[in-house]
């Protein structure tokens, strides 16, 4: 069979004996409470529902195996809105059920990247339209980013199941031996570069062997306490640090990500200076600033950076990159950001839904991409390949991933070749949630000497070692099969 360029994967039949297809899906919802609030732009997170999925896959011979995926349904990040939290959360949970049924019924065979890409391109928009039509025109539609977050738990489970099926690390399958098509069937190079994805596979853009330890970025949220004068007596007394200097000393941190408001320059500058001074006092090396999509004019960011450069040059030098100041709907907000990226590397995060939007962002002046597994493992890999092929810098950012969600997250960073390590902050906001997983992988859920340790990950799929993790799951939210 000859595979045509830019083929629709729904049109091809199984080619390799290693091809799989979904057979059934189990869905669980695991509630998690934060120990301290986490501020996202104008909203604050105090709890989250994690969607955990178990996908059974099979081949033409009827052989089956299972894989697991998980993602926090981070409502405030995926669906910023004036709508009430509960309405948005319940809508995302409903969509997870719709996805579980659709994945179980998905009658395609192939490699996980082929199946994942086909599902996101052909099924996800239809399901999202169906959901929003059911909700009616009188309420705000759920955005594509929220749909991707819901879908990611299933896509991750698919990749894990494939590795389980072959009894090998799933990252060792992103190549010509296992894939039916090269990257030219998924990606197109920008017009201004002399590059072709013909004959290229994801493995060509990944780091092998992957790093076994990674520098860990700590998140300084908008409500995080910086110094003792801010204590009120209502802080949790649970054995974990409360003040930023305590976290730095306990975990040996060298990298701090600072959440800003994006609509209050005086507050943002003050926050950057205060955190920067604490960082200098405690031998932290790197900072980054996250405006959470609240800025609409590049001059806002430029003025802050220019003031830091003049008034606080040491802190300015410590800023490694700037993350997503501008609205995440890039098509509706095509802002020329070359003036910002001329000052500091500028990374797309919420805007980087897929490689096509990364291509658009590159043309507008963005120079880096913050990858997230919560936009699907498949999408993160394809975005990684496109960005690297076009000279863009990479980072892997957290969605405050606890439990199983932490593992594909850090593995992506280990294989990606990031600008500096990986952001990992679930241990700040709900450390107890991951106790069962931490017993098997202690280095992933506590940061030591400013790093996380991936050396306990081994075995097939993502190396979860799921049978060793003594987690009691809640009642099934749904079982779906063909």
């Amino acid at each position: 069979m000859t595979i045509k360029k830019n083929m629709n994967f729904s049109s091809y039949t199984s080619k390799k004996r290693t091809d799989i297809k979904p057979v059934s899906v189990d869905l669980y919802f695991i509630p998690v409470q934060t120990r301290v609030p986490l501020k996202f732009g104008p909203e604050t997170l105090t709890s989250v529902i994690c969607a955990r999925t178990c996908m059974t896959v099979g081949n033409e011979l009827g052989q089956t195996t299972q894989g697991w995926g998980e993602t926090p349904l981070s409502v405030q990040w995926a669906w910023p809105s004036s709508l009430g939290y509960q309405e948005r959360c319940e809508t995302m949970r409903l969509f997870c059920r719709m996805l579980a049924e659709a994945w179980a019924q998905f009658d395609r065979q192939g490699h996980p990247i082929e199946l994942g890409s086909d599902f996101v391109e052909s099924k996800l928009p239809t399901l999202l339209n169906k959901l929003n039509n059911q909700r009616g025109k009188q309420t705000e539609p759920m955005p594509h980013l929220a749909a991707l977050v819901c879908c990611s738990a299933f896509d991750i489970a698919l990749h894990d199941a494939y590795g389980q099926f072959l009894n090998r690390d799933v990252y060792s399958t992103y190549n010509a031996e296992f894939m039916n098509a090269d990257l030219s069937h998924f990606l197109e190079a920008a017009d201004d570069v002399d590059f072709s994805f013909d004959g290229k596979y994801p493995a060509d853009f990944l780091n092998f062997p992957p790093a076994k330890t990674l520098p860990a970025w700590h998140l300084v949220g908008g409500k995080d306490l910086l110094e003792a004068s801010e204590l009120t007596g209502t802080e949790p007394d649970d054995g974990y640090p409360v003040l930023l200097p305590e976290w730095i000393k306990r975990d040996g941190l060298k990298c701090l990500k600072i959440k800003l408001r994006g609509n209050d320059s005086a507050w943002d500058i003050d926050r950057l200076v205060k955190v920067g001074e604490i960082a200098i006092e405690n031998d932290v090396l790197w900072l980054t600033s996250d405006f959470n999509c609240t800025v609409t004019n590049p001059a806002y960011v430029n003025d802050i950076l220019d003031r830091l450069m003049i008034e606080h040059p040491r802190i300015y030098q410590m800023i490694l990159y700037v993350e997503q100041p501008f609205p995440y709907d890039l098509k509706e907000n095509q802002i020329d950001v070359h003036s910002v990226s001329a000052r500091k590397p500028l990374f797309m995060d919420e805007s980087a839904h897929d490689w096509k939007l990364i291509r658009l962002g590159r043309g507008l002046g963005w120079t880096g991409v913050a990858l997230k597994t919560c936009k699907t493992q498949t999408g993160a890999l394809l975005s990684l390949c496109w960005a690297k092929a076009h000279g863009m810098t990479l980072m892997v950012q957290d969605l405050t991933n606890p439990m199983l969600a932490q593992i594909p997250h850090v593995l992506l960073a280990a294989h990606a070749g990031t600008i500096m390590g990986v952001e990992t902050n679930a241990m700040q906001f709900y450390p107890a949630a991951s106790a069962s997983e931490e017993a098997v992988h202690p280095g992933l859920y506590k940061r030591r000497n400013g790093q996380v340790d991936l050396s306990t990950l081994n075995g097939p799929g993502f190396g979860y070692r799921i049978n060793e993790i003594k987690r009691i799951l809640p009642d099934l939210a749904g079982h779906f099969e063909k």
Side-chain angles (χ1 to χ4, degrees):
M1 181 186 73
T2 301
I3 297 178
K4 298 177 181 179
K5 189 174 181 180
N6 296 324
M7 68 181 284
N8 178 351
F9 277 100
S10 64
S11 67
Y12 86 98
T13 56
S14 176
K15 183 182 178 185
K16 294 184 182 289
R17 61 179 178 80
T18 52
D19 288 350
I20 58 166
K21 64 180 178 180
V23 174
S24 66
V25 175
D26 289 339
L27 174 64
Y28 303 86
F29 292 123
I30 305 174
V32 177
Q33 293 291 131
T34 64
R35 62 182 288 269
V36 291
L38 170 57
K39 197 170 188 303
F40 280 104
E43 296 191 81
T44 300
L45 183 151
T46 56
S47 65
V48 69
I49 300 292
C50 288
R52 181 177 289 199
T53 63
C54 179
M55 183 179 292
T56 300
V57 302
N59 64 4
E60 289 185 325
L61 300 177
Q63 299 167 315
T64 62
T65 193
Q66 294 179 329
W68 293 82
E70 181 180 277
T71 195
L73 302 180
S74 187
V75 174
Q76 296 91 338
W77 181 82
W79 190 352
S81 172
S82 59
L83 287 180
Y85 167 84
Q86 201 61 38
E87 178 180 350
R88 287 176 286 160
C89 184
E90 288 304 316
T91 301
M92 291 181 71
R93 286 169 59 130
L94 171 61
F95 195 62
C96 285
R97 291 186 173 92
M98 295 171 64
L99 284 166
E101 181 176 13
W103 271 106
Q105 298 291 329
F106 193 47
D107 194 21
R108 303 284 186 270
Q109 287 184 307
H111 185 278
I113 289 179
E114 296 154 5
L115 299 182
S117 178
D118 187 9
F119 190 95
V120 168
E121 293 290 333
S122 67
K123 298 295 183 183
L124 192 65
T126 302
L127 286 171
L128 183 57
N129 287 336
K130 180 180 178 181
L131 172 80
N132 287 327
N133 288 336
Q134 288 176 354
R135 297 182 69 236
K137 296 181 179 179
Q138 303 306 313
T139 188
E140 177 186 309
M142 190 177 85
H144 180 64
L145 179 57
L148 278 177
V149 168
C150 295
C151 191
S152 66
F154 303 92
D155 182 82
I156 290 169
L158 175 69
H159 283 255
D160 183 53
Y162 188 68
Q164 299 290 336
F165 192 79
L166 299 176
N167 194 34
R168 61 191 300 159
D169 172 2
V170 71
Y171 272 89
S172 71
T173 74
Y174 299 146
N175 52 47
E177 181 181 355
F178 298 96
M179 293 179 64
N180 293 289
D182 64 26
L183 285 171
S184 69
H185 296 88
F186 307 95
L187 307 175
E188 295 177 0
D191 293 337
D192 64 338
V193 299
D194 183 17
F195 182 85
S196 172
F197 286 104
D198 288 334
K200 300 290 186 182
Y201 291 84
D204 296 318
F205 298 91
L206 297 170
N207 287 1
F208 294 102
K212 288 298 183 183
T213 60
L214 293 168
W217 285 80
H218 174 97
L219 179 65
V220 185
K223 289 186 174 295
D224 286 16
L225 304 181
L226 305 185
E227 51 194 23
S229 62
E230 298 172 1
L231 295 169
T232 64
T234 61
E235 294 77 23
D237 183 14
D238 54 8
Y240 295 97
V242 173
L243 300 176
L244 178 58
E246 295 172 351
W247 277 112
I248 295 171
K249 291 173 183 175
R250 194 198 78 156
D251 291 0
L253 299 171
K254 298 299 180 183
C255 307
L256 302 178
K257 171 177 169 174
I258 308 166
K259 287 279 189 183
L260 302 173
R261 292 181 177 178
N263 55 14
D264 184 342
S265 61
W267 190 94
D268 286 349
I269 291 172
D270 183 65
R271 189 72 168 178
L272 283 165
V273 171
K274 283 183 178 178
V275 174
E277 289 173 344
I278 291 171
I280 292 168
E281 291 169 6
N282 291 276
D283 299 320
V284 170
L285 299 176
W286 299 110
L287 305 172
T288 184
S289 55
D290 181 4
F291 292 85
N292 267 117
C293 309
T294 49
V295 179
T296 56
N297 189 336
Y300 181 97
V301 182
N302 293 340
D303 290 347
I304 289 174
L305 292 175
D306 290 348
R307 278 193 59 184
L308 285 176
M309 183 170 56
I310 295 168
E311 299 172 13
H312 303 277
R314 174 80 181 276
I315 295 172
Y316 177 84
Q317 292 166 1
M318 292 170 70
I319 296 177
L320 190 59
Y321 64 95
V322 173
E323 182 183 337
Q324 191 71 46
F326 308 108
Y328 80 79
D329 190 340
L330 198 65
K331 289 182 179 178
E332 294 296 320
N333 299 273
Q334 297 192 28
I335 302 169
D336 188 311
V337 298
H338 285 88
S339 62
V340 180
S341 57
R343 290 164 166 81
K344 288 287 180 180
L346 182 62
F347 279 60
M348 305 173 69
D349 182 1
E350 288 87 344
S351 288
H353 297 352
D354 55 39
W355 70 270
K356 296 174 186 175
L357 286 170
I358 295 171
R359 179 176 60 184
L360 174 59
R362 176 178 172 272
L364 293 170
W366 299 81
T367 56
V369 181
L371 303 169
K372 276 189 168 81
T373 51
C374 70
K375 298 175 189 173
T376 74
Q377 174 78 359
T378 297
L381 289 169
L382 294 177
S383 293
L384 178 156
C385 295
W386 197 94
K388 272 198 170 182
H390 292 79
M392 299 181 78
T393 313
L394 298 178
M395 186 58 192
V396 172
Q397 300 290 59
D398 207 355
L399 197 65
T400 314
N401 291 311
M403 302 181 290
L404 287 188
Q406 170 80 337
I407 293 174
H409 164 64
V410 295
L411 279 174
L412 178 64
H415 289 87
T418 65
I419 191 172
M420 178 61 66
V422 64
E423 182 194 353
T424 177
N425 59 61
M427 59 281 290
Q428 300 171 230
F429 295 98
Y430 26 65
S434 303
S436 298
E437 291 75 17
E438 184 181 342
V440 179
H441 304 291
L444 287 185
Y445 300 93
K446 277 193 173 67
R447 301 166 302 198
R448 297 179 176 89
N449 299 316
Q451 297 189 332
V452 287
D453 186 337
L454 290 71
S455 61
T456 56
L457 297 176
N458 56 67
F462 288 113
Y464 293 136
R465 297 163 56 188
I466 194 80
N467 293 333
E468 300 174 52
I469 297 172
K470 308 301 182 184
R471 173 166 295 283
I472 300 174
L473 292 173
D475 292 339
L476 264 176
H479 172 78
F480 304 87
E481 58 186 51
K482 284 183 171 59

